[in-house]
Amino acid sequence: MEKTEVEEQTKDEGQVVTPWQVAAKDSGKIDYDKLIDQFGCQRLDQFLIDRVHRLTSRPPHVFLRRGVFFAHRDFNDILDAYERGEKFYLYTGRGPSSESLHLGHLIPFMFTKYLQDAFKVPLVIQLTDDEKCMWKNLSVEECERLARENAKDIIACGFDITRTFIFSDFDYVGGAFYKNMVRVAKCVTYNKAVGIFGFTGEDHIGKVSFPPVQAVPSFPSSFPHLFSGKDNLRCLIPCAIDQDPYFRMTRDVAPRIGYNKPALIESSFFPALQGETGKMSASDPNSAIYVTDSVTDITNKINRYAFSGGQDSKAKQILYGANLEVDIPIKYLNFFLEDDEELEHIKKEYGSGRMLTGQVKERLIKVLTELVERHRRARAAVTDEMVDAFMAVRPLPNMFN
């Protein structure tokens, strides 16, 4: 059962997870099992992962195999529809509040690209420049500029332009999109918005009015240039689990205004270098690896700041081994080291004391450097004209082929 009150949804004895704040209890770890219970979503189990493999004839993405995407809402219904020969579309987004992305920002886009390629379906990507203008101390003009810069990083992930529409709220909101916003807004009382999102009397009215903007890309009629006459098309949203409140609201409203509930597939947080108390923060450069970081930057950050579960001396490490549960280099390798056998070997050797912290960090530095260099080359090839092409309001005639 889906919950609707913020006390049940986002807080549990000090653990706070909202679209704007993620903090574990007493500087501990985020308890994802409790989040599933509080939010009312479902655990993404091996049966669904195997089903994706069977339906797409592709190996499951590393983020599926290793539980990075760990929860869902109605993903099984999406797969049922797909198995019947029905298509769906993908929707994800980015709040452009910084010049460049860190690795945590890349995760939903890397996974969304896999879904787009595996299922051969269209994708809409929302740049919530209006949201960041309202939540951050940024001007309208600066948020518009950051949206285009972030769009270049998103395009660099390799999305298919024939199946992808990127839009910024400042540019696109109006017409059919705005009509759906009003339909949603009329169904959500102020008290319910406070309950879901935790707004207070000190929040300006722009914040209270924003949730319908993020809700309505879930409805195909918001994009008449793409989905005209396809009002029953299902939507799947890959996102981090802190975005869940927006879509609990959306799923509550959707049947009341004649639309399907969007389905979600939700990820855990990419932890900060200092540990798993929350997620990477764009406001603390030493908590994150950025796609603009040099080899020297990456090396220094991993060696100086990546929290280690290894022992504090070589002798103790050989004797006792590392605590893999708290070791950040192991957690980062879990995200980005593709080879399952190599990862298991590293865990076994490091946990037993036969491998030292410096060796694990050295392997991680190589993995992250290759990832960041590959992304940097791809981004350098993205021109302003390519951004214009992805953001052009246009039909995508072969999007379901």
Side-chain angles (χ1 to χ4, degrees):
M1 179 180 175
E2 293 176 20
K3 314 292 180 62
T4 55
E5 295 304 318
V6 74
E7 290 81 10
E8 291 181 294
Q9 295 170 342
T10 58
K11 297 180 181 179
D12 178 72
E13 297 177 354
Q15 177 166 287
V16 179
V17 177
T18 74
W20 313 286
Q21 182 184 6
V22 176
K25 177 188 175 186
D26 299 330
S27 299
K29 292 169 61 175
I30 296 293
D31 188 329
Y32 290 106
D33 288 327
K34 284 188 176 179
L35 271 188
I36 285 175
D37 290 340
Q38 291 158 14
F39 287 4
C41 46
Q42 295 84 43
R43 172 70 69 173
L44 192 62
D45 59 22
Q46 190 61 44
F47 174 79
L48 282 176
I49 296 169
D50 292 342
R51 197 172 175 206
V52 170
H53 189 184
R54 179 171 56 81
L55 289 175
T56 63
S57 301
R58 287 177 179 237
H61 193 277
V62 64
F63 294 164
L64 277 179
R65 299 200 307 269
R66 300 193 188 144
V68 172
F69 278 79
F70 73 102
H72 74 99
R73 294 182 185 276
D74 293 347
F75 185 47
N76 49 313
D77 291 350
I78 289 283
L79 297 181
D80 287 346
Y82 185 79
E83 196 161 24
R84 291 193 300 268
E86 300 171 18
K87 292 290 189 177
F88 60 92
Y89 74 98
L90 296 163
Y91 155 40
T92 194
R94 160 81 184 135
S97 62
S98 59
E99 189 81 34
S100 66
L101 308 189
H102 59 56
L103 294 184
H105 295 142
L106 282 187
I107 285 164
F109 295 111
M110 294 170 71
F111 188 66
T112 300
K113 182 193 182 315
Y114 155 78
L115 292 173
Q116 182 184 58
D117 294 344
F119 289 99
K120 296 181 172 55
V121 289
L123 162 67
V124 296
I125 299 175
Q126 180 181 42
L127 300 173
T128 55
D129 41 12
D130 52 342
E131 177 198 22
K132 293 308 174 184
C133 183
M134 289 188 282
W135 262 267
K136 304 281 186 179
N137 186 25
L138 297 170
S139 67
V140 169
E141 293 74 20
E142 178 66 356
C143 289
E144 288 181 303
R145 185 186 74 81
L146 291 174
R148 284 187 65 87
E149 289 303 306
N150 284 189
K152 293 176 182 177
D153 277 307
I154 293 168
I155 292 166
C157 292
F159 292 107
D160 180 351
I161 194 170
T162 69
R163 290 193 174 100
T164 305
F165 173 52
I166 302 175
F167 67 99
S168 84
D169 289 342
F170 280 140
D171 286 341
Y172 187 74
V173 171
F177 194 98
Y178 184 66
K179 290 175 186 176
N180 277 339
M181 284 170 50
V182 171
R183 291 182 179 112
V184 169
K186 287 176 68 176
C187 292
V188 183
T189 65
Y190 175 71
N191 284 342
K192 176 158 279 193
V194 169
I196 295 171
F197 299 102
F199 296 129
T200 72
E202 301 304 307
D203 285 314
H204 59 69
I205 60 174
K207 291 183 179 182
V208 181
S209 68
F210 175 75
V213 186
Q214 189 158 324
V216 301
S218 309
F219 308 141
S221 64
S222 298
F223 305 100
H225 68 287
L226 298 179
F227 306 129
S228 179
K230 295 183 172 66
D231 285 1
N232 288 323
L233 193 65
R234 296 291 303 264
C235 175
L236 174 63
I237 305 169
C239 62
I241 198 164
D242 59 341
Q243 298 302 299
D244 193 82
Y246 283 117
F247 301 114
R248 286 198 298 276
M249 180 197 77
T250 308
R251 286 168 55 84
D252 180 58
V253 169
R256 295 156 63 189
I257 57 177
Y259 295 122
N260 288 317
K261 293 181 178 184
L264 280 82
I265 185 164
E266 300 177 312
S267 73
S268 57
F269 305 119
F270 192 64
L273 285 164
Q274 288 80 0
E276 275 199 295
T277 58
K279 60 179 181 177
M280 274 192 172
S281 170
S283 61
D284 179 2
N286 291 325
S287 78
I289 304 293
Y290 287 84
V291 296
T292 51
D293 282 347
S294 67
V295 178
T296 302
D297 292 332
I298 294 170
T299 301
N300 287 341
K301 285 182 178 181
I302 296 300
N303 283 332
R304 293 182 63 186
Y305 299 111
F307 186 83
S308 173
Q311 304 299 326
D312 57 10
S313 72
K314 180 178 179 179
K316 285 184 179 179
Q317 173 63 16
I318 292 170
L319 187 60
Y320 300 114
N323 179 358
L324 304 186
E325 286 299 309
V326 300
D327 192 89
I328 288 297
I330 287 292
K331 293 188 182 300
Y332 281 21
L333 287 171
N334 190 65
F335 278 81
F336 294 123
L337 180 59
E338 286 279 346
D339 189 321
D340 291 337
E341 288 186 9
E342 184 185 359
L343 179 64
E344 287 310 307
H345 175 74
I346 290 172
K347 286 180 175 179
K348 183 177 178 182
E349 296 296 294
Y350 189 36
S352 68
R354 290 189 295 270
M355 183 178 275
L356 304 178
T357 299
Q359 294 172 291
V360 178
K361 287 188 173 184
E362 184 179 353
R363 184 67 181 105
L364 176 62
I365 289 165
K366 188 173 189 296
V367 169
L368 296 185
T369 298
E370 289 173 355
L371 188 158
V372 168
E373 287 294 332
R374 189 166 59 245
H375 183 86
R376 186 182 291 121
R377 287 194 299 272
R379 193 196 193 280
V382 178
T383 63
D384 284 323
E385 290 74 21
M386 287 173 67
V387 175
D388 291 339
F390 270 92
M391 298 184 75
V393 178
R394 69 208 189 277
L396 302 174
N398 297 315
M399 61 187 173
F400 291 114
N401 296 337

